[in-house]
Amino acid sequence: MLKKWGLLSVSSAFFFIFILFSNSCANQGAGPTGGPRDSIAPQIISTIPLPLQTNFTGKQIVLNFDEFIALDNLSEMIVFSPPLTKKPTIKVQGKSVVITIDEEFAPNRTYSVDFKNGIKDYNEGNKIDNYRLTFSTGDQIDTLQIGGYLIDALTLTPIENAVSLLYLTDNDTLFTTTTPDYIAKSDKNGHFLFDNLPEVHFRLFGLTDGDKNLFYSQGTEQIAFSDSLIVPKATFESKIDTVITDTDTVISTGETIFSPLDLNVKLSAEITYNQYLASFKRVNNDQMQFVFNEELTHPIQAKILNAETAPEWDYIELTKSKDTVNIWITDSTIAAKDTLIVGLTYPSTDSTGNIIATTDTLKMLYSKSDKPQKGKPDVKVETKANLFTFNTNLVQSNFDIYKMIEIEAPSPIQNLTKEMVKLTEAINDSTFKPIDFELQPNSKRKYTLNYKPAGNTKYMVSIDSAAIKTLTGIENNGLKISFTTQKSDYYGTLIVDISSTDSVAIAQLIKNGKTEEVISEMKLDSTSKILTFSYLKPDVYSLKLIADRNGNGKWDPISLDKKEQAEAVYYFPKTIQVKSNWEMKESWTVVPENGQKREVVTENSSDKKPEKK
C-alpha cells in the first residue's frame, strides 16, 4: 500500500512539474512589459539665476532637471531678449543644461531667455514646452508687454519664425546697422509677444531674418516698420462683486491690462533693382532668347559680329513678364549659320545701384534636331517636312464661349489676312457653313480671331498649307481643327456692389486654392461701384481688394527709404460658391480688418481663421 501510494505521489509530482514547464514555455511573450511609457516632460528643480532674480552678475545660466536630458536644436531655437552680440556656448552635463555667456549683460536691464521646445528627456524624447527664464541685471523686474501678429502684407497670412524687433532709439537706419534692444519670434499663428519691458518709447520693426543676423538684408528678406513710436502701458481694471449673505459683502477685484497687444505688423519685400543677364540660348536657327533676373526697364540692342546684316535683320518681342527677350532673325542667310557671335547691350546695375549699359559678346550655337515636332494631343494638324506649324488655344470640347481664338506662329510671318483663314459652324455631322469673324493682328506672330460663338456648338477653323511664309521663307503646314463650345448655361454670374474709402482700387476674383490664382481683375475709380463677373465656371471663389494709392494698376510693397507702407489689401469675409446658370449678388463695405486673411475651402471642410489670443 505504501509502495503504491509512493508511486502515485512521484507520478503526480512529475505531471505537475510538466504542466508548469509547459505553461511557462507557452507564455514566453507575456513576461514583464516594463510598465507604462514615460510621457512626462523633464521637471526643472533649480535654476541659476533664480526666476525673477535681480542684480544678477553671473556669466552662466544653468537649468537643473530631475532626469537626464538632451538638446533638440536648442542652439537655433533659444532666444535672448535683449539679444546677445555673441552666440553662447550650450552644453549638457548629465541632468543639467549649462549656457556660458561670452560677453557682459547690459546693466539695469530685464532679460528673458526663451528655450522654446529645445530640451527633452534623454530616453523618451518628451519635450519641455516653451520654458522662459526671466531675470534682471538691475534692482527691479520690468513687467510691461507689447504683442501682436506678423503677417504677409499681400495675403494677410501669418508668418511663422519671423522676428519682431524693438529699438530704444527712433532712427530707421538702426534697422540695418545696429542690434535691436529686444526681440521676439513669431509662432505658427504669426503671434509675437514682448514682455518684461520698461515704460519707454520703442520703434517696432518686423523681419524675416533668413540669415539670422538680426539685420535687414535688402532684396532677400521681408520687412515691416511701425509708423509711430510705441509705449507699453499697464492699467488696472477693477471689478466689484456683491456676495449675498446675511450681511451683504462688497468685494473689489480686477486685473492688469497690458497694451498694445493687438498690433498687426505687415511684412513685404522691398522692390530692388539688380539687373543682370541670367541666361541665353539659341532656341531655333532663327530665334535667340535672353533671360534676365528682373523685369527690363530699358530696351536692349543686339548686333551680329560675324556677318553683315541689313538694317532690319531682327524682330524683337518682350514676354508678358518683361524679363525675357526673344529675337527672331529675319535674314535667311544669317539664320542658316550654325554659329553667331552676338554683341548684346543691355541695362545692368553697378556696385552703387545705378543703371548702366553693359555689352557682352556671346556665342550663339544652333544644332538642327532630327526629332519630330511635338504637337498638342487635342489638336489635329497636317504636318510636312520643313514647314512650320501654327499653334492655337483651342481644345476639342467645352471651349469657353467667352474666349476668342488665338493663332500663333513660331516665327514672324508675312501678313496673315482674313481670306487665308476659314471659320465654319456645323449644321450637322458632315455639313458646315461659313460664319463671319474679324482677324486682329497682335504682332508679327500672333493673331486673334474674334467671332460670336453659340453654346454647345461645333466649329472648325482651317488655314491651307503653304498659305503664308515666315520672314525667312518657311511655309506653313495646313491647319484644320474642329472644336465644340461649352454650354451657355454652364456659367454663373457674380455681381458685387463694393463700397470702399479708397478712391482708386483693384478688385480681384480669386479661384479657391492654396495659391491665389486671379481669374478676373477690375479697377475701381470711385468710392462705390458695381462690378459684374460673367462667364464664371462653377467653383468656389474669393474676392480681394487692393488699395492702389498711386494708381499704377498693381500692388506695391513697402519702401523703407520713402517710409511708405505696403498698399493695403482686403478680403471679402467669406468665400463665394458660383453655380451654373445662376446669378449671385453680394454687397461689400470694405473696412480694415486686422488679421483678416483669405478663406480657403478644402474638399471636406472649411479652414477656419485662427482666433486671436
Side-chain angles (χ1 to χ4, degrees):
M1 193 66 183
L2 289 175
K3 290 181 180 180
K4 184 177 180 181
W5 174 256
L7 181 60
L8 289 173
S9 298
V10 172
S11 300
S12 299
F14 178 78
F15 178 77
F16 180 73
I17 294 173
F18 174 78
I19 293 298
L20 288 177
F21 181 77
S22 299
N23 287 338
S24 65
C25 291
N27 292 286
Q28 291 184 34
T33 61
R37 180 183 179 275
D38 177 18
S39 60
I40 301 175
Q43 303 297 306
I44 297 176
I45 57 177
S46 65
T47 66
I48 301 175
L50 295 171
L52 304 181
Q53 179 176 330
T54 57
N55 298 309
F56 179 67
T57 59
K59 299 296 291 289
Q60 282 190 335
I61 295 174
V62 181
L63 306 182
N64 298 312
F65 296 89
D66 62 347
E67 60 180 308
F68 291 101
I69 51 92
L71 303 182
D72 189 7
N73 202 27
L74 179 62
S75 61
E76 298 298 324
M77 292 185 181
I78 193 169
V79 177
F80 280 79
S81 185
L84 304 176
T85 59
K86 297 179 182 179
K87 198 168 186 177
T89 302
I90 305 176
K91 293 183 179 180
V92 173
Q93 295 180 359
K95 298 181 180 181
S96 301
V97 175
V98 180
I99 303 172
T100 303
I101 313 300
D102 190 23
E103 60 187 277
E104 297 292 334
F105 285 117
N108 299 313
R109 191 71 64 85
T110 299
Y111 278 83
S112 62
V113 186
D114 286 310
F115 293 85
K116 304 298 181 182
N117 56 352
I119 302 175
K120 61 184 180 181
D121 64 35
Y122 186 82
N123 292 318
E124 299 293 340
N126 300 309
K127 295 182 179 181
I128 298 178
D129 187 26
N130 294 326
Y131 178 71
R132 170 179 287 187
L133 177 65
T134 301
F135 60 91
S136 176
T137 57
D139 56 5
Q140 66 178 13
I141 296 290
D142 296 320
T143 59
L144 298 179
Q145 297 180 351
I146 292 175
Y149 295 84
L150 296 181
I151 57 180
D152 187 281
L154 180 59
T155 64
L156 303 187
T157 54
I159 301 178
E160 185 179 4
N161 290 326
V163 290
S164 47
L165 316 171
L166 287 179
Y167 292 84
L168 292 168
T169 305
D170 182 20
N171 189 332
D172 290 340
T173 61
L174 296 176
F175 192 32
T176 59
T177 59
T178 306
T179 302
D181 294 290
Y182 295 89
I183 66 171
K185 277 191 176 181
S186 60
D187 61 17
K188 64 181 180 180
N189 295 318
H191 184 259
F192 68 90
L193 178 66
F194 295 96
D195 54 10
N196 306 116
L197 297 176
E199 189 176 358
V200 296
H201 290 79
F202 289 105
R203 173 68 74 178
L204 173 65
F205 291 89
L207 178 66
T208 55
D209 191 26
D211 50 17
K212 301 184 185 304
N213 63 358
L214 299 180
F215 298 135
Y216 171 45
S217 300
Q218 190 176 38
T220 61
E221 296 174 340
Q222 290 182 289
I223 59 166
F225 64 89
S226 58
D227 289 317
S228 59
L229 295 177
I230 299 173
V231 181
K233 296 289 184 180
T235 57
F236 183 81
E237 291 189 1
S238 61
K239 180 180 179 181
I240 299 177
D241 291 333
T242 301
V243 180
I244 301 176
T245 60
D246 293 337
T247 58
D248 292 347
T249 304
V250 177
I251 301 176
S252 179
T253 60
E255 61 178 337
T256 301
I257 305 298
F258 296 99
S259 65
L261 294 178
D262 58 351
L263 298 171
N264 278 276
V265 185
K266 299 178 182 180
L267 288 81
S268 65
E270 285 192 289
I271 295 177
T272 59
Y273 192 81
N274 183 25
Q275 188 74 70
Y276 59 86
L277 179 64
S279 65
F280 61 92
K281 64 180 178 179
R282 194 169 172 187
V283 181
N284 292 304
N285 66 326
D286 65 341
Q287 181 185 357
M288 300 180 293
Q289 187 177 86
F290 305 93
V291 180
F292 295 84
N293 67 308
E294 292 183 359
E295 176 181 322
L296 283 168
T297 57
H298 295 72
I300 70 169
Q301 293 181 342
K303 184 178 181 180
I304 304 297
L305 302 180
N306 63 334
E308 294 291 332
T309 59
E312 297 182 358
W313 65 271
D314 60 345
Y315 173 70
I316 300 177
E317 274 188 8
L318 192 64
T319 59
K320 186 177 181 180
S321 59
K322 297 183 179 181
D323 60 358
T324 301
V325 179
N326 288 291
I327 298 181
W328 279 272
I329 303 166
T330 60
D331 188 318
S332 58
T333 303
I334 298 174
K337 295 178 68 70
D338 292 338
T339 303
L340 294 177
I341 307 300
V342 179
L344 184 71
T345 301
Y346 59 92
S348 64
T349 309
D350 63 13
S351 58
T352 62
N354 295 319
I355 299 175
I356 60 173
T358 298
T359 300
D360 289 341
T361 300
L362 310 173
K363 181 183 287 187
M364 312 291 289
L365 304 176
Y366 175 71
S367 177
K368 184 177 180 181
S369 174
D370 294 325
K371 294 181 180 180
Q373 185 177 6
K374 294 182 179 179
K376 294 184 179 180
D378 54 359
V379 174
K380 297 179 181 179
V381 295
E382 302 170 8
T383 59
K384 296 181 181 179
N386 300 322
L387 300 179
F388 77 85
T389 300
F390 284 107
N391 292 317
T392 74
N393 64 332
L394 294 172
V395 293
Q396 286 185 335
S397 60
N398 298 327
F399 183 68
D400 288 314
I401 61 176
Y402 60 87
K403 290 183 178 179
M404 296 295 100
I405 301 170
E406 296 175 0
I407 301 174
E408 180 179 327
S411 301
I413 59 175
Q414 300 168 8
N415 187 35
L416 182 66
T417 64
K418 180 178 179 179
E419 291 71 26
M420 298 176 183
V421 182
K422 296 178 182 178
L423 180 63
T424 56
E425 178 183 324
I427 299 176
N428 51 48
D429 291 340
S430 59
T431 305
F432 286 79
K433 68 175 182 179
I435 64 171
D436 191 29
F437 65 91
E438 292 182 1
L439 188 67
Q440 175 186 340
N442 301 316
S443 70
K444 291 185 177 181
R445 296 190 312 110
K446 301 177 182 179
Y447 292 79
T448 299
L449 194 154
N450 297 313
Y451 71 118
K452 296 180 180 180
N456 195 27
T457 302
K458 186 175 182 180
Y459 294 90
M460 180 179 294
V461 61
S462 61
I463 300 176
D464 290 340
S465 178
I468 194 72
K469 294 181 180 179
T470 67
L471 297 183
T472 55
I474 305 298
E475 296 179 333
N476 69 291
N477 274 309
L479 176 70
K480 190 174 184 180
I481 305 175
S482 60
F483 63 97
T484 303
T485 54
Q486 182 62 265
K487 296 178 180 178
S488 300
D489 60 1
Y490 171 74
Y491 305 96
T493 300
L494 172 63
I495 301 174
V496 185
D497 186 356
I498 298 181
S499 176
S500 172
T501 58
D502 297 294
S503 57
V504 179
I506 303 167
Q508 293 180 336
L509 186 68
I510 300 169
K511 184 179 179 180
N512 177 63
K514 293 183 179 180
T515 59
E516 291 196 355
E517 180 184 349
V518 178
I519 301 300
S520 181
E521 184 174 280
M522 297 184 185
K523 292 184 179 180
L524 283 77
D525 55 8
S526 64
T527 57
S528 180
K529 189 163 185 177
I530 296 178
L531 302 180
T532 301
F533 298 94
S534 304
Y535 296 110
L536 296 180
K537 297 180 180 179
D539 209 333
V540 179
Y541 297 91
S542 300
L543 273 173
K544 180 176 184 176
L545 194 72
I546 299 173
D548 187 19
R549 62 174 176 240
N550 59 7
N552 65 352
K554 63 180 181 179
W555 177 81
D556 290 300
I558 196 170
S559 174
L560 190 61
D561 292 337
K562 297 179 182 179
K563 295 185 178 180
E564 291 181 349
Q565 299 286 358
E567 290 180 331
V569 301
Y570 314 96
Y571 288 94
F572 190 58
K574 63 180 182 180
T575 57
I576 300 170
Q577 177 75 57
V578 174
K579 300 179 181 180
S580 292
N581 199 27
W582 196 265
E583 182 180 281
M584 293 189 63
K585 293 183 180 181
E586 296 283 356
S587 295
W588 183 15
T589 300
V590 179
V591 293
E593 290 191 39
N594 292 332
Q596 181 189 30
K597 67 174 185 176
R598 181 171 67 95
E599 182 182 1
V600 178
V601 177
T602 61
E603 183 177 354
N604 297 318
S605 63
S606 298
D607 294 338
K608 296 182 179 179
K609 300 177 188 177
E611 295 183 358
K612 290 185 179 180
K613 297 180 180 179

